[in-house]
Amino acid sequence: MATPTRNGAAPGAKGNKFANAGAAAGGFVGAMGGSFMPSVNINVNRPAPGGGHAQSLLPAPEFGTPAQVRNYCNTVRAAAVALGIEVAMGAEIFQSVLAQVPDPEGRAFGSRIRAAKVARKMRKSADALRDAAKNAAACYSTFQQEYQEELGRVRHRARKPQAPVMNWAQQ
């Protein structure tokens, strides 16, 4: 009885030397993936007793004051920046994991090409989130420009009265 070799084939039989490459690569990526993975937080939103709503990432869309407009735009920008970074990191990890799956047709670099095609869509999502962050910042800037006259009237009215200036020339 012949002893099996590393890939499970008998010494005289021609085994597929890539038979366990996927499993080996998956084990490697699984072992190393933990050090490259960003932390994942899972939040479970339970409605409050009384029929409350689930908590949102953004504040309530109340635009009664310029401060509320600024707060909403800044919160959208910050959330989009953070999500864009996480999605971009996820796309890189996703591509590296998928590149380890062997190509079914055995094409050279076929697995890398397939992985890049799939990860490209996730990268587009990350780009869209970055664009959302830019547009949220631009929204507040445009708001200030378009409503400059109204904002100026409110700011002027809200100023504290100036203390009288002492004129040393009059005695």
Side-chain angles (χ1 to χ4, degrees):
M1 180 169 152
T3 58
T5 59
R6 275 190 271 170
N7 63 2
K14 286 199 166 204
N16 183 357
K17 63 181 176 179
F18 298 110
N20 293 326
F28 173 74
V29 171
M32 294 302 292
S35 62
F36 301 122
M37 294 289 276
S39 62
V40 177
N41 295 327
I42 299 174
N43 294 328
V44 178
N45 294 322
R46 296 184 186 161
H53 300 300
Q55 192 174 1
S56 174
L57 289 174
L58 302 176
E62 297 174 357
F63 305 113
T65 65
Q68 288 175 327
V69 173
R70 184 183 65 240
N71 181 39
Y72 191 81
C73 290
N74 281 340
T75 306
V76 169
R77 181 196 54 77
V81 165
L83 285 173
I85 292 169
E86 285 190 36
V87 171
M89 180 64 77
E92 292 297 322
I93 294 168
F94 192 39
Q95 181 174 352
S96 65
V97 169
L98 290 178
Q100 301 301 318
V101 177
D103 186 51
E105 298 172 9
R107 294 176 293 177
F109 303 108
S111 60
R112 290 183 186 178
I113 293 169
R114 290 172 47 202
K117 282 182 184 178
V118 174
R120 186 176 304 129
K121 299 297 181 185
M122 196 175 291
R123 278 198 194 93
K124 280 188 174 185
S125 296
D127 292 341
L129 284 165
R130 274 186 244 130
D131 289 341
K134 290 176 193 174
N135 287 328
C139 176
Y140 184 68
S141 174
T142 304
F143 168 73
Q144 284 182 313
Q145 290 171 0
E146 291 295 322
Y147 293 93
Q148 182 177 13
E149 183 180 328
E150 289 87 348
L151 291 172
R153 274 190 262 140
V154 171
R155 285 187 185 133
H156 181 58
R157 188 176 54 210
R159 286 186 189 153
K160 293 180 181 178
Q162 292 182 346
V165 179
M166 186 175 290
N167 188 352
W168 292 99
Q170 290 181 335
Q171 292 188 10

